[in-house]
Amino acid sequence: MNTFYIEKNTGKTTVFQLKNASFQLVQEFPASEQNACGQYIKTLPPAQIFTANHINSFDFWLNINTSHNPLDWIEKDKNSFTFDYRLALLAAALAHPKICERNFQEGITLIIEHDLNFFSALIYKNNVYGAFEHTLTNLTPELLKKDLEEFRFGWLPHEEVIRQKGACSVIKNPPTEAEGFHPTFIVCEHPEFFTGLGRIITIENIKETMVQTLQSIS
């Protein structure tokens, strides 16, 4: 069966097809051609279709209040899977050997940054117990360090993040056996902002990893 990965954001929709174990670009539609995009998708041969929505809304993290397992946050309909793009980043990070091993030993803090925006998640045994999103340009190094310390211990209120011109903070029932989520792993484009805050890692094959993860549970 064919496999397609579709990335949707406000500016465009991009369609990739899995070929030779990697996703290759096959079509791109600007925002003004979304009707044509919808018709094109209908013409695709029988396939599994994975759709990543790029919507910058903190509502995504409210799923933590319902389930700590991020794989429960996916919409599934037969051979169609729809999810927030941040879920694909999480899946790729959790597949990293060091993170996979460490987060089953104790709780970890994961930070993923792109274009000066970042989210941080509290993870233990592949479950997510908290997340907050912020913009690096709205934080001093001292305030970033303070926020991360409070976040690890479940003390970072949503209202405080909003006051700092951040996006959100959601924390739900972090387990005591996670022991404070102190080990910190960072995926970033601007490492100068994260000096001394944790171990910088690289994640690769994000689309491929997300698809493999979902295929393994479907």
Side-chain angles (χ1 to χ4, degrees):
M1 180 178 286
N2 293 288
T3 302
F4 292 91
Y5 192 103
I6 301 172
E7 292 184 337
K8 290 186 175 182
N9 58 41
T10 55
K12 63 183 178 181
T13 298
T14 310
V15 182
F16 302 85
Q17 184 174 6
L18 186 64
K19 297 180 180 180
N20 300 321
S22 66
F23 280 99
Q24 300 176 23
L25 174 67
V26 294
Q27 194 67 267
E28 186 172 276
F29 298 88
S32 60
E33 297 180 11
Q34 290 309 292
N35 288 336
C37 176
Q39 292 301 317
Y40 172 78
I41 292 173
K42 290 179 181 179
T43 69
L44 296 178
Q48 282 190 317
I49 298 178
F50 300 83
T51 303
N53 290 320
H54 288 238
I55 301 173
N56 292 321
S57 168
F58 75 83
D59 288 350
F60 167 70
W61 295 116
L62 297 179
N63 288 300
I64 294 170
N65 292 320
T66 303
S67 173
H68 294 298
N69 181 357
L71 297 181
D72 290 339
W73 308 349
I74 296 163
E75 297 179 21
K76 184 178 183 297
D77 181 17
K78 296 182 180 178
N79 288 318
S80 175
F81 302 82
T82 304
F83 47 89
D84 188 282
Y85 76 99
R86 287 165 287 195
L87 198 58
L89 296 172
L90 278 173
L94 291 174
H96 188 283
K98 292 295 183 183
I99 292 179
C100 181
E101 177 184 4
R102 192 64 178 271
N103 97 98
F104 276 88
Q105 297 171 348
E106 61 183 314
I108 67 166
T109 298
L110 173 67
I111 300 171
I112 298 182
E113 178 253 336
H114 172 65
D115 197 23
L116 296 176
N117 296 306
F118 73 91
F119 69 79
S120 181
L122 304 178
I123 300 172
Y124 181 53
K125 295 184 177 180
N126 281 7
N127 287 326
V128 180
Y129 292 92
F132 88 99
E133 288 198 21
H134 219 308
T135 302
L136 289 171
T137 51
N138 290 336
L139 289 168
T140 64
E142 294 76 17
L143 186 53
L144 174 59
K145 182 178 180 181
K146 175 178 176 291
D147 281 354
L148 286 173
E149 289 175 348
E150 293 184 350
F151 177 59
R152 290 187 185 103
F153 289 100
W155 299 336
L156 184 62
H158 174 72
E159 294 76 15
E160 174 62 16
V161 175
I162 296 299
R163 187 186 67 79
Q164 299 170 3
K165 299 181 180 179
C168 69
S169 176
V170 182
I171 302 170
K172 182 73 171 180
N173 300 330
T176 56
E177 60 267 27
E179 299 181 351
F181 301 91
H182 183 72
T184 302
F185 297 86
I186 304 167
V187 179
C188 63
E189 299 172 349
H190 299 86
E192 64 273 17
F193 285 94
F194 299 99
T195 301
L197 296 180
R199 177 176 179 174
I200 294 178
I201 64 167
T202 300
I203 57 176
E204 300 175 340
N205 304 318
I206 294 170
K207 299 184 207 47
E208 292 81 0
T209 300
M210 184 61 180
V211 168
Q212 290 171 6
T213 299
L214 295 183
Q215 288 176 333
S216 70
I217 63 171
S218 62

